[in-house]
Amino acid sequence: MRADHCFQRILLDQACGGRWYDHIAGRPAYAHADDAVLARAVMLAEAVRDDISDLAAMNRQSLAWRGKDQAIRRKR
């Protein structure tokens, strides 16, 4: 993860339980997400900050939801 938008993607995907754009109509997502999704995303961010949640694992899941996990494995 190298950019702010990646951090947002990971947290919003986790908060939605899949690709955020399958659950949130409109961009930017944070402006169109409902309060429950945003609250879950903030809770997840706080858990990452407090070393309770594993951001790298959440990123791998986010990429898997996008079908990009196979491409990452091939690059290694």
Side-chain angles (χ1 to χ4, degrees), residues 11-22:
L11 296 175
L12 286 170
D13 280 2
Q14 289 295 315
C16 292
R19 299 178 303 187
W20 67 262
Y21 48 79
D22 291 337

Side-chain angles (χ1 to χ4, degrees), residues 56 59-60 63 68-76:
N59 185 40
R60 286 189 297 274
L63 294 172
K68 295 184 178 184
D69 58 329
Q70 295 298 323
I72 289 169
R73 286 189 203 133
R74 284 192 295 269
K75 287 182 181 180
R76 289 183 186 168

Side-chain angles (χ1 to χ4, degrees), residues 10-72:
I10 295 164
L11 296 175
L12 286 170
D13 280 2
Q14 289 295 315
C16 292
R19 299 178 303 187
W20 67 262
Y21 48 79
D22 291 337
H23 302 270
I24 301 170
R27 293 178 190 225
Y30 59 81
H32 294 88
D34 64 37
D35 289 343
V37 168
L38 293 175
R40 285 192 300 271
V42 168
M43 180 190 69
L44 289 164
E46 290 170 344
V48 168
R49 176 198 66 201
D50 296 339
D51 289 326
I52 297 168
S53 290
D54 183 353
L55 185 62
M58 287 192 283
N59 185 40
R60 286 189 297 274
Q61 178 60 66
S62 176
L63 294 172
W65 281 324
R66 288 169 166 64
K68 295 184 178 184
D69 58 329
Q70 295 298 323
I72 289 169

